[in-house]
Amino acid sequence: MALETTHLGPVMDEAVLGAKRRMRIGADPDYDLLYENFDVLHYLLQAPHLLDQPEVDLIEHFLENGLDERLSPHPDFSMVEYLIRYPHKVADLHERSPYLAWLKSGKAAGDLVDPAPRIRRMANVLGLPHQQAADLVAERRRDLQQRFRTGRLGEMFARATEIEPLVGATWTEIARPKLLPLSTPAVVDEISALYHAQEAAGFRRARVVFVINRARWGGGRRMEGHLTHALAAHVDPDEIVVLYTDDSTTAPVDRYPEGVREIDFARIARHLPKERAEHALTMLLRTFDADAIVNVNSRMLYHAMRAYGRALAVTERLFLCFFCNEQTAMGTWDGWSLRYFYRTFDYVAGVITDSKYLARELTETYRVGEKDLQRLHVLRAPVDPDLPVVSDSPASPGRRPQVCWAGRWDRQKRVGLFLEVADLMPDVDFRMWGEPVMGSGTRPVPQNVSVQGRYGHISEIPLAEADVWLYTSGWDGVPSQLLEVAMTGIPLVGSLVGGTGEVLSEEDAWPVAEDQTAAAYVAAIRAALADPSESRRRALRLRQRMLRERTEKEFAIQAADLLLTNDESREAR
């Protein structure tokens, strides 16, 4: 048995030769089988402390300690991966070692024992049979290890060790080289998530990508729906992608134009650690080569921007949609604009909001300079002229008036205030739609209140029976519900908070100041009920004003000018 020289040096080479000479063969079939499939140098690189114990028989050491210490006798066998992939076989193991079991039967059965993590998952991504992927990885590993042991790569490494001895401390790592893209489980999982997301997208680029927390409540279009419909007037809807990141949900019918690609990234990335999911999302967004990326309340993207926002903005045009902030139970305020406007405004392409009120608040709070105001955009959501219009009041002698209310049963919508108003008006029937959210629970309701449940679209409500629509929000942007009701011709009594003043006015509605009590709402409702015909004419004036101020055409032009770029701009990026 001759000495085999490697770039690891004479001490290691002599140790390998000595270990081989100490091995005893011919008495034990299991021992002999291991001897034929035992890479001594590979084993010593995993357990270098054995270099100081020359009397130890490495095969016996492996049989006694290999399972507990997760040692591998061969570069293409991983004790760790074997135990992960075939736990049932290990549980029923009758052999002295899992490696022996694999050599005797598992190898012929096609068991995958390659050290590459998640190899089946990556094989699926690469479109290869599992065994073929394992064979290709093993071939690459053998080539790399041989280059380290006896090739030019090892020679260069040895010379670097002469200059800096600390380099030599990493010789042991050649026993477990990281082979991209199969370097670590986390890397494989991220690549797999990217693959499945792109698979859902049809492996095609997108002109605009919307990143959304979830399919939000209500049958209206909301900002993301308005934007996608607006852009569909300029590009094929197939060129628009919607990513759901925080919750696995499905959007209401007609929220987007037919053809828009929706991707449930929350489901795809559900097994990834938070940081890895954020990184995968960032990489995914870059693969679309989009004209614009629009964040609509995506927690995952906002959190990812802490680490990757500036780098992502170098190649991508990022737009953030900010709506009204939320008031907590303690009376303090919370919201995405409070957390991220000051952190991101300097590098994003722009900020979009639905109200002049919030734009003014952001400008004043963060002292936005004149030159930066052009990146702060107010997109006034268009109204739907096709919504059913009720021109005539249902009021008649002896009929009890009907007041409608709808919304989430939470602090913002002030359900308690609504019920107090109803309690003060026992001669009027109140009908409420919605359901409890955010732990709001249920509460007793007056006898003149009828709970109707949720509705999918405002047209499902018996609008012709409504004398007044009541809106009691404690804070708001420009709510979709107000825009919808404004198109129906039903008199509107609503709280004057945030952006609601961009819909409600004294000329065509009954706004109630922010600090008013239930009595003020009662007075406004009584005023609207006092002259049903005049109230209808007033409500129809509101409809006409909304039709003038909030057209789909104007919104579509503004959205396209903002989010779509021309060919020259794309090439420049």
Side-chain angles (χ1 to χ4, degrees), residues 34 62-63 66-68 70-71 73 77-80 82-83 86 89-91 93-107 111 113:
L34 288 174
F62 170 70
L63 287 171
L67 182 59
D68 292 338
R70 304 297 194 259
L71 297 174
F77 177 88
S78 168
M79 190 72 73
V80 172
Y82 188 89
L83 298 176
Y86 305 99
K89 292 190 176 184
V90 176
L93 191 64
H94 300 296
E95 298 289 346
R96 297 166 65 188
S97 166
Y99 186 49
L100 276 171
W102 179 73
L103 289 173
K104 291 180 180 181
S105 60
K107 186 175 182 180
D111 291 353
V113 294

Side-chain angles (χ1 to χ4, degrees), residues 192-363:
S192 179
L194 287 171
Y195 172 81
H196 288 298
Q198 271 292 349
E199 183 181 42
F203 297 105
R204 301 189 307 279
R205 73 175 293 264
R207 292 291 298 275
V208 182
V209 179
F210 291 90
V211 190
I212 305 175
N213 57 340
R214 64 181 65 86
R216 299 189 289 160
W217 184 84
R221 286 184 177 177
R222 300 297 191 97
M223 177 61 81
E224 59 269 25
H226 289 308
L227 287 172
T228 53
H229 279 273
L231 294 173
H234 298 270
V235 300
D236 192 312
D238 185 65
E239 295 192 271
I240 302 171
V241 164
V242 174
L243 288 170
Y244 299 115
T245 61
D246 301 349
D247 289 315
S248 183
T249 54
T250 303
V253 176
D254 298 329
R255 172 66 56 85
Y256 311 114
E258 185 177 353
V260 168
R261 289 173 280 165
E262 296 180 62
I263 301 174
D264 189 351
F265 190 75
R267 179 189 59 80
I268 292 171
R270 66 189 183 280
H271 297 310
L272 291 177
K274 177 176 175 291
E275 293 78 9
R276 288 292 180 177
E278 293 168 6
H279 184 260
L281 174 63
T282 305
M283 295 301 101
L284 173 64
L285 292 175
R286 297 189 68 180
T287 66
F288 286 112
D289 188 28
D291 291 1
I293 296 167
V294 184
N295 184 355
V296 184
N297 291 349
S298 168
R299 177 183 289 103
M300 185 183 293
L301 181 53
Y302 275 123
H303 288 180
M305 289 176 67
R306 295 173 181 175
Y308 311 114
R310 288 184 179 274
L312 184 62
V314 171
T315 58
E316 312 302 319
R317 297 174 67 237
L318 292 171
F319 291 86
L320 310 180
C321 282
F322 289 134
F323 307 107
C324 69
N325 294 308
E326 301 283 335
Q327 191 172 35
T328 70
M330 299 292 292
T332 58
W333 291 90
D334 191 16
W336 294 121
S337 67
L338 286 172
R339 296 183 185 184
Y340 286 96
F341 184 88
Y342 75 94
R343 284 183 169 132
T344 62
F345 187 65
D346 287 344
Y347 64 79
V348 297
V351 162
I352 299 170
T353 181
D354 64 341
S355 70
K356 294 179 181 178
Y357 170 84
L358 182 56
R360 184 168 58 252
E361 189 176 66
L362 292 172
T363 300

Side-chain angles (χ1 to χ4, degrees), residues 381-422:
V383 292
D384 182 359
D386 295 327
L387 284 175
V389 183
V390 184
S391 301
D392 298 321
S393 170
S396 62
R399 174 184 171 276
R400 287 172 62 87
Q402 304 280 311
V403 175
C404 293
W405 180 99
R408 303 184 312 272
W409 299 0
D410 60 10
R411 288 189 302 275
Q412 181 187 7
K413 301 306 179 185
R414 297 198 291 184
V415 179
L417 174 63
F418 162 71
L419 296 177
E420 186 179 354
V421 171

